[in-house]
Amino acid sequence: MRRIILILSLVILIFPVSGKVKIQKPQQQHPTAFAIIVDEITLEKTKASIENYRDALEAEGLSVYIVSGTWKNPNQVKAEIIKIYKRQPSLEGVVFIGDIPVALIRNAQHLTTAFKMNEETFPFPESSVPSDRFYDDLHLTFDFIRQDSVNPLHFYYKLREDSPQNLNPTFYSGRIKYPTEKGGDKYEAISEYLEKVVREKKKSNKLDCFVSFTGSGYNSDCLIAWMDERLALTESFPLAWKNSQDARFLNYRMEDYMKYRLFDELQRDEVDIMLFHEHGSPERQYICDIPAPNGLQGYMDYIKSSLYSTVKQEIEKKKGSPEEIKAYFIKKYALRPDFFNDFSMEEISRNDSLEREKTWITLHDLKEMKTYPRFVVFDACYNGSFHQEGYVAGYYIFNNGNTIVTQGNTRNVLQDRWTIEMIGLLSQGIRIGQWNRLVATLEGHIIGDPTFHFSPISSNTLGIDIVTNKNNIQTWENYLASPNADVQALALRMLVENDVNKNMSSRLLTIFKTSPYNSLRMEALKLLSRYANHDFTEAIRLGLYDAYELIRRNSATYVGKCGDPQLTEAAIDVFLNYPEAQRVNYALQGAIPLLPLDEVQKEITRYQTKESDTSLSRQATIKSLQQQIEKNRTNNIRTLAMLQDISSPQEKQISTIRYVRNYPRHANIETYLSIINNEKQALNVRINMAEALGWFNYSYRKDEIRHALENMIAMKKMPEKLQLEIQQTINRLK
């Protein structure tokens, strides 16, 4: 860490910095410190509220700095944070209030859960990731690119190739940024928000009431995935099961327009946490689909409405004149000549808009609403886009309810990520920012006060130990004896963080095999992925049959990412015999073709022999799988030939190589390496191929890839850009 801080300090000295900075030192000495980073104008306009906030934090046991300035760039802000980080007591977190520069990160899509936009072809604002990991993860190093030409608070940075290639935030962070699209005086709104935080901090509030909602199209609409969340949250929130009101699981299917039911839940003052599992955008939460028709007349109206909308789209696409298009559909569907008599483009647009509004929660809905859950989690794309003038997460904290803090994402996110990992630590009084640090992604952020916490079930020092005893192995061995599943999960994580000799994998596998806790087994599986060895393979195999759907689903995903032939039998068995777990089978459908195809075909044949009396539906599934495998085999042969042919269009080669990031074919590794090593190939093709191999970080052949790349750059001189990309991939595979 000292070496990293030295490098960062040198980078900051090189970068031109200007603007006066003022630091108000802590008034009290406590075991850990916290920094309020605020722009000068916001401090001037909200000074009394910020100082009240500071006093409330110090009353909770934090030594608090107030750092203000006319911030010119992120490096200037980071320089001040590093100064505080070097001091004692240990810095545990920061909050950015007001207009603090935003770093938009490039060359780091592997640190996101799903974002994979082509940085070469899409504009910088779209293909970069707004992320405060620039500030809170001091392990990472960046090169400055440029300031945005439209928004002067936005700055673009590239993750350096020689930087560590994994997230491990040094401290937690949060953003208190008013969504100006909401209207009103932003400084007054920030002051009112901070006073709300101070009021809530004076209350004693144990986490004993939560609501979880799952929207349409999420996790393949799998009811088993929805149902099994209860298994984990029973372990995480032990106080919330007194009655049906305190632990509530809602699904979009429960009402035609579920948003209005959610409004009721959001205005229940007793709710501590609201979990939204849904799709989203910066301005919307997508709650449900348009309801299915009811009765014969309902279906008739639905068909008419659908045809009207289709005709409207065809007219807008200028596929012909309105009369020609109507005549075409009348003939195609044998409709009466007067079917389109009441057709109106304006009426259709208005009806479609009104209908859609009932299926979304929008900024307009939230503008005057009071929301009361103290913590709201948006397991959705873009709802946490704090760099926008209007964003969902901001509207939830800036109102007259009691919502203090939210977690949201600045970019799209993977549906299958483990969004409730270690969330039970909040029942133990852990600060929400600290929890977010433990489950960090490049795009995931705390919006609001990151120091907010619930009253612990029982008194403990866990929050301080995470900061001051993070490298004390005995501390975490002691916590491993806790009766709480998520405390054990944290202890495992900290022990793995300190496992310098890589000796923990067999112990993790034993815990995975024996623990009765769903969340602890899931944590053991996730930690085993860091080792990517035989113990990891065995955990994947066993995980395909686990009682907890999330473990089965993640194991299915790991099947493709690992690619070990030993997983073939279990993968085929689960795919054919357990179709009710829709999301698991969806993951396996993409994973099975990444296993050795000859082994897959042998296993299918063996299964057919063993299951000669199999049902018709299973026979159809087997036939479909065989066809898929043969299609994959044929396509793979054709694709490899195209990639190796130096006369192939470069654009086509690169597009195909980018596909490898999602679908790592482990059997193709020799060919992929040969493309990188072939000096006759276009440089951009070689660079993209080197980058794609970085996505084999869970592969059973990852060490083989890394050694081959190390030998490659040791044996011959390569263009600098290619060598840098190879080095980044080597770092990712370590």
Side-chain angles (χ1 to χ4, degrees):
M1 176 57 74
R2 287 180 181 175
R3 178 176 173 272
I4 292 171
I5 297 298
L6 176 61
I7 293 171
L8 288 170
S9 300
L10 290 172
V11 170
I12 288 160
L13 286 173
I14 293 169
F15 195 100
V17 169
S18 61
K20 189 175 182 181
V21 175
K22 298 177 183 177
I23 299 178
Q24 297 182 39
K25 293 183 178 180
Q27 300 176 130
Q28 301 178 33
Q29 191 72 9
H30 292 291
T32 60
F34 183 77
I36 298 170
I37 313 295
V38 58
D39 67 277
E40 191 172 58
I41 297 176
T42 299
L43 179 61
E44 178 186 333
K45 301 278 190 180
T46 66
K47 190 172 189 293
S49 297
I50 286 179
E51 289 180 348
N52 288 341
Y53 176 53
R54 182 266 318 276
D55 294 344
L57 295 177
E58 295 207 325
E60 286 189 338
L62 290 171
S63 296
V64 181
Y65 296 86
I66 299 177
V67 185
S68 61
T70 52
W71 307 111
K72 302 300 181 184
N73 53 66
N75 278 67
Q76 182 192 15
V77 178
K78 192 170 187 174
E80 298 303 324
I81 294 174
I82 289 172
K83 288 177 186 177
I84 294 173
Y85 176 75
K86 290 179 178 179
R87 299 174 182 174
Q88 290 298 323
S90 299
L91 182 68
E92 73 163 63
V94 301
V95 65
F96 305 109
I97 301 180
D99 296 321
I100 307 301
V102 178
L104 292 97
I105 308 303
R106 302 176 66 75
N107 192 41
Q109 293 183 9
H110 54 284
L111 301 180
T112 70
T113 60
F115 187 70
K116 292 183 176 65
M117 187 174 286
N118 191 327
E119 293 180 356
E120 299 296 323
T121 58
F122 285 88
F124 269 46
E126 296 176 33
S127 59
S128 307
V129 182
S131 181
D132 283 338
R133 299 299 85 78
F134 176 87
Y135 293 118
D136 62 33
D137 195 332
L138 299 184
H139 307 86
L140 306 179
T141 55
F142 301 90
D143 285 334
F144 174 70
I145 302 174
R146 64 176 172 83
Q147 186 176 14
D148 190 79
S149 58
V150 176
N151 192 324
L153 278 179
H154 291 182
F155 296 79
Y156 299 101
Y157 289 84
K158 184 188 83 166
L159 179 70
R160 289 176 59 91
E161 289 82 4
D162 57 358
S163 167
Q165 299 295 314
N166 60 293
L167 289 173
N168 187 16
T170 316
F171 41 81
Y172 61 81
S173 67
R175 282 263 177 179
I176 300 173
K177 182 177 179 296
Y178 186 70
T180 54
E181 193 173 294
K182 195 170 189 283
D185 187 312
K186 70 177 181 179
Y187 301 110
E188 182 181 338
I190 290 172
S191 289
E192 290 175 353
Y193 167 75
L194 292 173
E195 295 300 337
K196 176 171 67 171
V197 173
V198 171
R199 289 196 301 271
E200 285 297 316
K201 284 184 176 294
K202 293 177 181 177
K203 301 176 183 178
S204 176
N205 180 16
K206 291 187 177 182
L207 203 174
D208 58 4
C209 183
F210 74 91
V211 177
S212 176
F213 168 73
T214 299
S216 61
Y218 201 85
N219 288 340
S220 301
D221 290 333
C222 179
L223 287 174
I224 292 178
W226 174 67
M227 178 179 70
D228 271 19
E229 186 183 42
R230 186 184 181 98
L231 297 175
L233 292 183
T234 304
E235 300 167 355
S236 298
F237 303 147
L239 301 181
W241 303 90
K242 300 184 295 296
N243 56 58
S244 61
Q245 303 301 304
D246 292 341
R248 182 168 283 181
F249 293 87
L250 303 178
N251 191 284
Y252 76 95
R253 297 173 175 89
M254 292 177 174
E255 294 182 15
D256 281 348
Y257 300 107
M258 196 68 184
K259 69 183 271 185
Y260 304 108
R261 174 79 174 277
L262 295 176
F263 290 167
D264 292 340
E265 298 297 322
L266 287 168
Q267 294 174 84
R268 288 173 59 201
D269 189 38
E270 65 270 26
V271 177
D272 296 311
I273 291 182
M274 183 84 177
L275 300 169
F276 280 107
H277 304 299
E278 32 102 358
H279 296 292
S281 70
E283 304 88 7
R284 296 189 188 95
Q285 295 173 255
Y286 297 113
I287 301 304
C288 61
D289 295 322
I290 293 172
N294 184 25
L296 179 59
Q297 186 60 48
Y299 276 97
M300 292 173 67
D301 291 342
Y302 177 77
I303 291 169
K304 184 174 183 178
S305 174
S306 297
L307 279 170
Y308 271 33
S309 293
T310 301
V311 169
K312 174 178 174 290
Q313 291 171 9
E314 295 297 295
I315 292 172
E316 289 172 340
K317 293 176 183 176
K318 299 182 178 179
K319 293 290 186 70
S321 72
E323 295 309 315
E324 289 172 338
I325 293 170
K326 290 176 191 176
Y328 169 80
F329 279 93
I330 287 172
K331 181 178 180 181
K332 181 176 182 179
Y333 294 109
L335 302 173
R336 288 171 48 149
D338 61 352
F339 183 83
F340 289 106
N341 278 3
D342 54 354
F343 178 88
S344 164
M345 297 282 283
E346 294 77 14
E347 187 71 18
I348 295 167
S349 295
R350 183 164 53 253
N351 290 339
D352 286 350
S353 178
L354 290 171
E355 194 72 9
R356 278 295 171 195
E357 284 289 318
K358 297 176 186 176
T359 67
W360 304 330
I361 294 177
T362 67
L363 297 185
H364 177 74
D365 293 321
L366 296 169
K367 187 172 183 179
E368 303 300 331
M369 186 184 296
K370 298 178 182 179
T371 60
Y372 286 86
R374 277 45 173 194
F375 180 35
V376 181
V377 177
F378 299 103
D379 179 13
C381 305
Y382 300 105
N383 282 173
S385 298
F386 63 83
H387 60 296
Q388 304 271 35
E389 296 305 309
Y391 65 106
V392 166
Y395 276 61
Y396 273 78
I397 65 169
F398 288 106
N399 64 59
N400 293 327
N402 289 331
T403 301
I404 300 298
V405 59
T406 67
Q407 183 200 52
N409 302 289
T410 58
R411 291 299 185 213
N412 59 305
V413 290
L414 193 70
Q415 288 185 60
D416 298 307
R417 71 193 184 103
W418 186 16
T419 55
I420 58 171
E421 179 181 5
M422 288 194 274
I423 201 169
L425 295 177
L426 302 183
S427 295
Q428 307 300 316
I430 293 297
R431 299 187 191 279
I432 285 172
Q434 195 68 273
W435 170 70
N436 190 65
R437 184 187 72 82
L438 293 166
V439 297
T441 63
L442 195 65
E443 68 273 18
H445 292 80
I446 292 300
I447 307 300
D449 170 33
T451 72
F452 182 79
H453 64 92
F454 297 97
S455 303
I457 292 174
S458 58
S459 180
N460 63 73
T461 60
L462 190 57
I464 293 175
D465 287 334
I466 293 173
V467 181
T468 61
N469 284 319
K470 61 183 178 182
N471 298 321
N472 187 323
I473 292 174
Q474 190 54 54
T475 295
W476 302 108
E477 289 287 357
N478 294 340
Y479 276 120
L480 202 54
S482 167
N484 181 273
D486 285 325
V487 173
Q488 289 187 46
L490 173 62
L492 271 189
R493 167 81 70 83
M494 302 306 283
L495 289 170
V496 168
E497 294 285 353
N498 287 283
D499 184 23
V500 293
N501 295 319
K502 302 286 185 181
N503 294 325
M504 276 283 292
S505 71
S506 60
R507 189 177 180 188
L508 289 169
L509 181 59
T510 299
I511 290 171
F512 180 77
K513 289 178 177 179
T514 60
S515 175
Y517 296 119
N518 298 287
S519 52
L520 185 59
R521 294 198 308 279
M522 182 63 218
E523 187 67 37
L525 175 65
K526 183 176 178 180
L527 291 172
L528 275 165
S529 72
R530 298 189 183 192
Y531 295 84
N533 58 10
H534 294 301
D535 291 331
F536 178 47
T537 298
E538 177 62 6
I540 296 171
R541 188 185 68 80
L542 295 171
L544 288 170
Y545 299 96
D546 196 89
Y548 184 24
E549 187 273 348
L550 186 70
I551 292 177
R552 300 201 301 278
R553 194 193 326 159
N554 277 272
S555 296
T557 300
Y558 282 138
V559 165
K561 291 183 176 182
C562 172
D564 194 317
Q566 296 179 54
L567 297 169
T568 307
E569 181 180 353
I572 298 297
D573 179 48
V574 170
F575 182 75
L576 295 178
N577 286 311
Y578 304 95
E580 68 278 4
Q582 294 169 264
R583 196 66 184 178
V584 175
N585 266 29
Y586 174 82
L588 281 174
Q589 191 169 17
I592 287 173
L594 303 178
L595 294 165
L597 295 183
D598 289 341
E599 294 296 320
V600 171
Q601 188 58 61
K602 287 179 185 177
E603 184 56 34
I604 294 173
T605 302
R606 191 183 72 81
Y607 192 90
Q608 285 177 301
T609 303
K610 182 178 69 172
E611 301 288 343
S612 56
D613 59 342
T614 190
S615 67
L616 290 175
S617 62
R618 192 170 294 131
Q619 288 176 10
T621 303
I622 291 172
K623 182 177 180 181
S624 175
L625 181 59
Q626 284 180 315
Q627 290 173 343
Q628 180 189 0
I629 295 305
E630 285 309 309
K631 183 178 179 180
N632 268 272
R633 190 194 305 275
T634 302
N635 287 344
N636 191 49
I637 292 170
R638 186 184 304 116
T639 296
L640 289 181
M642 183 272 294
L643 288 175
Q644 293 177 91
D645 184 357
I646 60 173
S647 65
S648 297
Q650 187 180 145
E651 185 177 331
K652 184 178 180 182
Q653 287 180 303
I654 291 173
S655 175
T656 302
I657 289 168
R658 288 181 61 81
Y659 187 78
V660 172
R661 296 163 18 139
N662 280 339
Y663 297 95
R665 293 188 181 276
H666 310 269
N668 292 349
I669 284 171
E670 287 83 3
T671 300
Y672 295 158
L673 288 168
S674 71
I675 290 169
I676 298 169
N677 208 26
N678 186 355
E679 295 178 356
K680 295 181 180 179
Q681 285 278 9
L683 179 58
N684 277 343
V685 171
R686 299 169 72 191
I687 289 171
N688 275 270
M689 193 75 256
E691 192 267 348
L693 286 180
W695 299 80
F696 285 74
N697 51 320
Y698 299 117
S699 175
Y700 78 109
R701 300 182 66 184
K702 79 166 189 174
D703 288 339
E704 180 184 339
I705 300 170
R706 179 167 55 83
H707 293 318
L709 292 175
E710 288 171 341
N711 291 335
M712 203 179 289
I713 59 176
M715 294 289 290
K716 62 166 66 174
K717 184 173 176 61
M718 292 184 165
E720 183 181 9
K721 286 186 68 175
L722 176 59
Q723 186 158 332
L724 285 171
E725 195 65 63
I726 291 174
Q727 188 58 58
Q728 184 170 23
T729 289
I730 290 170
N731 290 342
R732 289 178 62 186
L733 297 178
K734 285 182 178 176

